[in-house]
Amino acid sequence: MYQDQIINKLVEKKIITISPNKPYTYASGMLSPVYTDLRLTVSYPDLRDWIASDLATLIKEKYPDVSIIGGVATAGIPHAAWVAAKLNLPMIYVRPKPKDHGKGKQIEGLFTENDRIVLIDDLITTGGSVINAVKATEKEGGHVIGVSSIFTYYLKDTTANFAQAGVDYSPLLTYPELLQKEKEMNYINANEYEALKTWHEDPWAWGKKFHKK
């Protein structure tokens, strides 16, 4: 497994950046001391190969009867392709919505009701988009046995949303794991670690306290 190398590269290339004192604002309005731009991973051959290898290993361990790898558009597609190649499996990909022309497809690629599909995305925050991809696949007769991703913040909402949807989820790297590794590797000090940990426990409350400073 390449977890240490992956984390090192993500931090070194500023694909994941930490800023406890000057937080980032997400589209939802949430303030966060961490920002991820995992789309940049495709630009580094060594990093994307480590990720594909570890995702392939994880998926075979968690979902041994997988028969198709699916990519969630758009950022999950290249990683799904590399994982499918590692596992020598067919691949499909799922759009956010059906095309408005041609055959109006939302899913590209071939599958049957007997296939066991694992969907891959790059980043999962609350899980909404990938859960929608699961629903779209199953609406077309596919059977999704699990979802994976490179990284997840693993917020309480994330766990609740997957549980409510009845979708099994196995990420490669979670925020708590990243935080612990960054502390061990001396990327962050003890005070920064506590601030980042506090944010994860209640992001909205953390943001309100920050505004009061």
Side-chain angles (χ1 to χ4, degrees), residues 111-116 140-143:
F111 59 93
T112 72
E113 61 183 13
N114 296 319
D115 280 308
R116 299 293 180 263
E140 295 297 323
H143 178 41

Side-chain angles (χ1 to χ4, degrees), residues 137-195:
T137 305
E138 295 187 336
K139 183 180 178 181
E140 295 297 323
H143 178 41
V144 178
I145 59 173
V147 166
S148 191
S149 69
I150 300 171
F151 181 71
T152 179
Y153 291 110
Y154 225 57
L155 303 172
K156 292 177 182 178
D157 287 349
T158 314
T159 305
N161 289 341
F162 276 100
Q164 184 176 4
V167 177
D168 193 73
Y169 177 40
S170 297
L172 182 61
L173 182 63
T174 68
Y175 180 88
E177 291 169 338
L178 172 72
L179 202 58
Q180 186 60 40
K181 285 289 183 180
E182 289 203 323
K183 183 181 178 184
E184 292 173 3
M185 295 174 177
N186 296 316
Y187 283 123
I188 54 176
N189 59 39
N191 290 334
E192 290 170 329
Y193 175 82
E194 288 304 319

Side-chain angles (χ1 to χ4, degrees), residues 12 30 35 44 56 62 65-66 84 89 92 96 98 117 119 123-124 127 131 135 140 161 166 171 178 185 188 212:
E12 174 194 339
M30 179 189 291
Y35 184 77
Y44 301 99
K62 297 290 186 179
D65 58 343
V66 59
L89 290 175
I92 63 172
I117 302 168
L119 295 183
L123 169 67
I124 291 180
I131 289 172
K135 291 177 179 177
E140 295 297 323
N161 289 341
L178 172 72
M185 295 174 177
I188 54 176
K212 293 177 181 178

